[in-house]
Amino acid sequence: MKYAQDQYAQSRYAQSRYALGQAVPRAEDPRLLRGGGRYTDDINAPGQAHSLIVRSPHAHARIKYIDTVQALRAPGVLAVFTGADIAASKLGDLPTFAPQLVPLTRPDGAPIYVPPHPALAPDTVRFVGDPVAFVVAETALQARDAAELIVIDYQILEANTHTGTATRAVAVWPECEDNICFRFQIGDEEAVNAAIDEAAHVTHARLPISRLAVNAMEPRAAIGEYDPYDERYTLTSGNQFPHDIRGWLARYVLGVPDSAVRIISPDMGGSFGLRSNIFPELALTLWAAKELARPIKWLSERSEALMEEHARDIILAADLALDSAGHFLGLRVSGTANLGAYLSIFGPLPAFGNIGGVAGTYKTPAIHAAITAAFSHTAPVHPYRGAGRPEATLLIEHVIDKAALELNMDRAELRQKNLIRAQDMPYQTPLTYHYDCGDFEANMRQALANADYAGLSARRAAAAAAGKLLGFGIANAVEQAAGMFDEGAEIRIDATGVATILSGVHSHGQGHATVFRQLVAGRLGLDFSAIRFVQGDTDHVAYGHGTGGSRASGLAGSALHKAAQRIIEKGKQIAAHVLEAAALDIEFTDGEFIVAGTDRRLSLQDIAKTAHTVRALPPGMDSGLTGFATFTPPGPTFPNACHTCEVLIDTETGAMDIVRYVAVEDVGTVMNPLLLEGQIHGGIAQGLGQVICEAIVFDESGQLNSGTFMDYAMPRADQFAAMEVSSNPVPTARNPLGVKGAGEAGTVGALAAGMSAVHDALAQAGVRDFTMPATPNRLWHVLNKR
């Protein structure tokens, strides 16, 4: 499916400073920097009460009894709800969407095991932080004081927290004795086994990928309200999917029609996949608001977030078969993914949804992957920037590095030998990915030149003379983006010619209010300042599926493109009527409707005024000037890149410095290079954060050892080098804008490139196996064990 080049691309307006493709600074920033941000905590409902969630201090325990008598007598306390109250109510379990995406089965062919997930645990807690009570009081301090008066008698049970032994440990759910939620297989196992049997060389790699805490800048928050007269709920809470979360809460939790729930998602300080989930507080604040006839506000503390906002946590292994010349013959992948104790809304998806990424940018004739997803006594995992894509890229790039080392081949040469060429496009991999376009070879060639790969040997020798190990990492990354669901957008133009964009996706740092205004400004020839942007309110925005999976630019942007076209088509009919010409003779250029071959014209503002004057319209035409459209992609897009990372490790102290980082990105059409670079920088920082310091750690009892920022290390700006980012855009034909998506691209390449650099440095000291994170202490220990 191909789309024509936009007609306005060569117009006068398209060359202006605000057009698509220009480096326009974020229009949102002045308001936010001056304190004009309006986050959930800034909002207060009249008469609101405050709430607190009491959480389990144990990873696995039976609740023998809960005594709330003293808490209920405490000053200001309105209610203390427990799991028994939830069980007696009509409040549904927190839903998971994964079984509806792909038919998943257990090893014996039985359906995926979906455990119950009430908002409050009724009789057994299954991770440190599992909610057990909900306290509501007049003030937040009163709720906190009352929570300390609740007496809970726990019978502590054996805990299962380690990913590698999860399927052999104590059962999290009695109905699922082996802890296996599902096993996902894809590819040609027989062909892979044959390739491995016949190969001249087989390289094996095993990669434990650490569990992370998401740590968005703004902690979660929620305000639940209920109007008994309209019989309608309103939830104010920053989230990525306002319309979808409305539907999930209404249908599965509250048992009401979608229209009985309004979601307001105001400004939001980051999400990275986290706020696509139905967390307990969303259900509890709404339910309690109806029970108590009061708005209920809830705020998370960072200690709570560190207990329950987790991601990644998978052990992957690969066998790569090569012939005597270094050509790839087959790839066998296996893995165990730790899901935690419950299934979050998209929780299982990172374990298998992007496993196609292990094909990478390479011609591998046969691939088979088998992933086992297991329960443990840990917090449920959630999608986190990349959601399986960084893990897949890390695995294929690591096994290639290891093969090059074993074969004594140059790592870049081995990759180049097996790359899919531009002339091979479109290209079907042995798994799910079907690449429509891309020039992977050019990415790598440009990245290696920018990183001065030719001078690596000299830099390595200089580092060795200074008592340091220089490691050079390389990763060819490719990901699947913008392929799930359709997306909607609407443009309304008032009688004065001012446009309002109503977006079904949600911006929480991406810059939608800038780039979408650029798009509409260029398409309709409007001044940038004459365009408003509205998002995050299901009563105002008619339709949408939200932001996630790098889908916003390609899907919402394309919906806006179609909506603008519908406004133009209606404008042509109005112009033809007013100018007494045929509609086919009306051309639209730079915001003006012109009778072809004449100087007779009307501006968009003229048309807007006429559109709101009923007697001036063609007979039978509806008043107003509005365009609504949805866009359904014919298939996903495939952003791709080559990243390189250079590190120096001090052999005496284990201290590691990232000294250079280079990325060449193909995200298709670049809508705004300034915003793109910011997205790539942020993604790289999150990928490298996992490499150098981030990790959730449990002790043998399941207690969280990294429950504060004293224990969970967040990366700092001074730990990074300047990031050199350049573009190699190959526009896709799978949407009319040619964009592929950029939100997760930086992380997909950075995790693999960073670990590649660490492994390369350590290999010079004879260290062959090392797992993340590469903290100075861990590096020092592994170097001193030689």
Side-chain angles (χ1 to χ4, degrees):
M1 182 175 183
K2 295 186 179 298
Y3 293 92
Q5 186 78 9
D6 288 343
Q7 295 177 356
Y8 73 94
Q10 302 301 320
S11 72
R12 171 184 58 80
Y13 194 87
Q15 311 309 315
S16 78
R17 59 172 297 205
Y18 288 115
L20 208 61
Q22 301 299 312
V24 179
R26 282 171 32 114
E28 303 93 322
D29 288 348
R31 173 178 67 88
L32 297 174
L33 292 171
R34 293 199 301 265
R38 189 164 171 78
Y39 300 87
T40 303
D41 190 24
D42 297 319
I43 299 168
N44 294 292
Q48 73 184 13
H50 296 263
S51 61
L52 181 140
I53 295 176
V54 178
R55 299 179 180 277
S56 167
H58 307 293
H60 190 201
R62 185 169 294 112
I63 301 173
K64 299 174 70 174
Y65 71 83
I66 301 179
D67 185 346
T68 63
V69 173
Q70 293 302 315
L72 285 167
R73 292 173 179 170
V77 173
L78 301 174
V80 178
F81 298 111
T82 67
D85 298 306
I86 296 299
S89 75
K90 294 182 180 180
L91 193 68
D93 282 354
L94 308 184
T96 183
F97 198 54
Q100 300 176 43
L101 293 174
V102 176
L104 297 170
T105 60
R106 288 176 28 83
D108 61 2
I112 175 177
Y113 178 71
V114 179
H117 192 183
L120 297 174
D123 50 25
T124 304
V125 292
R126 291 179 166 85
F127 71 94
V128 172
D130 208 352
V132 295
F134 190 64
V135 183
V136 183
E138 295 289 352
T139 71
L141 287 177
Q142 288 173 334
R144 179 180 297 280
D145 289 342
E148 295 179 359
L149 298 175
I150 298 174
V151 178
I152 306 177
D153 187 8
Y154 291 102
Q155 178 188 351
I156 301 174
L157 304 172
E158 182 184 354
N160 155 21
T161 61
H162 296 295
T163 305
T165 59
T167 60
R168 305 188 300 276
V170 60
V172 178
W173 298 96
E175 303 83 0
C176 187
E177 294 183 356
D178 59 6
N179 288 319
I180 297 177
C181 177
F182 64 87
R183 190 166 190 262
F184 178 82
Q185 292 193 76
I186 191 168
D188 189 336
E189 186 175 16
E190 185 176 337
V192 170
N193 290 340
I196 289 173
D197 289 342
E198 298 168 6
H201 182 85
V202 178
T203 292
H204 176 76
R206 182 178 181 273
L207 273 173
I209 299 173
S210 53
R211 176 174 284 234
L212 301 182
V214 175
N215 287 324
M217 185 179 292
E218 179 203 8
R220 302 198 320 270
I223 303 171
E225 300 175 73
Y226 181 74
D227 185 333
Y229 302 104
D230 284 347
E231 297 183 336
R232 199 158 187 256
Y233 297 89
T234 297
L235 174 69
T236 301
S237 182
N239 66 80
Q240 295 175 229
F241 301 148
H243 294 82
D244 288 347
I245 285 181
R246 175 186 66 176
W248 298 330
L249 279 171
R251 294 168 225 161
Y252 301 112
V253 180
L254 300 171
V256 297
D258 290 9
S259 58
V261 179
R262 178 187 184 185
I263 301 291
I264 301 172
S265 181
D267 288 326
M268 179 167 48
S271 179
F272 315 114
L274 173 75
R275 287 177 165 105
S276 63
N277 191 42
I278 303 289
F279 280 98
E281 71 271 6
L282 304 187
L284 290 169
T285 53
L286 290 174
W287 177 72
K290 182 178 181 181
E291 290 288 310
L292 300 175
R294 294 274 296 273
I296 308 295
K297 187 170 187 175
W298 177 88
L299 300 175
S300 172
E301 294 188 355
R302 189 62 67 180
S303 58
E304 291 180 280
L306 283 163
M307 282 193 286
E308 64 171 348
E309 297 179 359
H310 295 175
R312 308 281 195 242
D313 200 349
I314 186 170
I315 298 173
L316 292 172
D319 294 298
L320 178 63
L322 305 94
D323 67 14
S324 57
H327 296 106
F328 301 165
L329 300 176
L331 177 68
R332 179 165 57 206
V333 174
S334 61
T336 301
N338 190 338
L339 300 176
Y342 305 94
L343 299 181
S344 63
I345 195 74
F346 287 116
L349 190 62
F352 71 91
N354 288 295
I355 196 66
V358 297
T361 61
Y362 308 103
K363 293 180 180 178
T364 307
I367 305 177
H368 178 262
I371 303 296
T372 300
F375 295 110
S376 70
H377 291 111
T378 62
V381 296
H382 309 281
Y384 174 63
R385 203 167 192 169
R389 300 165 178 88
E391 298 94 312
T393 298
L394 172 60
L395 182 65
I396 182 61
E397 294 300 303
H398 177 60
V399 75
I400 292 173
D401 276 349
K402 203 167 182 183
L405 189 65
E406 292 171 357
L407 295 171
N408 195 29
M409 288 184 66
D410 179 84
R411 290 180 296 156
E413 179 187 345
L414 182 58
R415 286 173 167 84
Q416 198 278 336
K417 185 188 292 282
N418 290 282
L419 277 177
I420 300 165
R421 315 295 176 192
Q423 58 267 30
D424 298 326
M425 297 295 180
Y427 188 88
Q428 176 63 57
T429 71
L431 295 184
T432 55
Y433 288 6
H434 182 267
Y435 305 142
D436 61 315
C437 65
D439 193 341
F440 307 148
E441 195 172 19
N443 291 344
M444 191 171 77
R445 184 170 58 248
Q446 185 178 343
L448 293 178
N450 293 352
D452 187 21
Y453 187 64
L456 177 60
S457 297
R459 296 195 301 278
R460 215 189 282 278
K468 296 186 177 184
L469 302 171
L470 187 148
F472 185 89
I474 180 171
N476 287 315
V478 64
E479 57 164 318
Q480 178 177 249
M484 288 180 64
F485 315 120
D486 64 347
E487 189 51 62
E490 185 176 4
I491 304 170
R492 300 175 187 168
I493 301 182
D494 66 21
T496 66
V498 173
T500 298
I501 297 170
L502 296 107
S503 172
V505 294
H506 192 287
S507 176
H508 36 277
Q510 294 91 339
H512 295 172
T514 301
V515 75
F516 289 159
R517 287 164 74 188
Q518 287 180 257
L519 191 160
V520 172
R523 192 71 185 94
L524 297 180
L526 290 170
D527 287 337
F528 190 80
S529 60
I531 305 172
R532 295 177 61 248
F533 180 79
V534 175
Q535 66 170 14
D537 189 330
T538 58
D539 272 10
H540 293 163
V541 180
Y543 184 82
H545 284 294
T547 297
S550 301
R551 70 191 302 276
S553 57
L555 303 192
S558 295
L560 273 175
H561 173 89
K562 288 177 64 177
Q565 186 59 39
R566 288 176 181 175
I567 285 176
I568 292 169
E569 292 305 318
K570 183 172 183 178
K572 287 182 177 181
Q573 295 179 48
I574 295 172
H577 177 71
V578 174
L579 297 173
E580 298 181 340
L584 291 175
D585 292 335
I586 303 297
E587 298 175 348
F588 180 74
T589 306
D590 296 330
E592 293 186 317
F593 295 87
I594 304 168
V595 179
T598 75
D599 60 358
R600 299 169 62 205
R601 64 189 63 207
L602 291 171
S603 69
L604 182 61
Q605 289 75 15
D606 296 330
I607 296 297
K609 183 177 181 180
T610 303
H612 289 83
T613 307
V614 64
R615 293 181 180 176
L617 290 172
M621 178 177 283
D622 293 335
S623 301
L625 194 56
T626 299
F628 171 80
T630 63
F631 176 75
T632 304
T637 60
F638 292 94
N640 55 89
C642 182
H643 288 219
T644 73
C645 179
E646 199 163 313
V647 301
L648 281 174
I649 299 176
D650 189 317
T651 56
E652 294 295 320
T653 65
M656 183 176 77
D657 293 318
I658 300 170
V659 294
R660 192 167 191 181
Y661 200 96
V662 169
V664 176
E665 295 280 350
D666 170 17
V667 299
T669 300
V670 177
M671 300 177 79
N672 182 317
L674 185 64
L675 270 62
L676 170 62
E677 193 166 5
Q679 284 289 298
I680 300 300
H681 283 182
I684 290 171
Q686 287 182 277
L688 292 180
Q690 185 168 10
V691 171
I692 63 178
C693 60
E694 292 189 64
I696 285 287
V697 179
F698 299 97
D699 68 12
E700 290 303 316
S701 70
Q703 192 56 238
L704 184 63
N705 284 351
S706 49
T708 73
F709 281 154
M710 293 292 289
D711 314 296
Y712 187 93
M714 291 288 286
R716 304 185 308 272
D718 63 1
Q719 293 176 288
F720 300 113
M723 301 171 192
E724 305 169 41
V725 179
S726 56
S727 290
N728 173 39
V730 181
T732 181
R734 289 182 174 171
N735 62 66
L737 303 178
V739 302
K740 294 179 176 177
E744 291 155 306
T747 309
V748 176
L751 181 61
M755 284 306 297
S756 175
V758 171
H759 286 135
D760 181 53
L762 295 177
Q764 298 163 57
V767 177
R768 291 291 185 265
D769 293 298
F770 179 81
T771 58
M772 62 185 74
T775 62
N777 181 58
R778 298 184 80 245
L779 289 170
W780 183 85
H781 274 284
V782 75
L783 287 170
N784 281 273
K785 283 175 63 177
R786 289 174 297 165

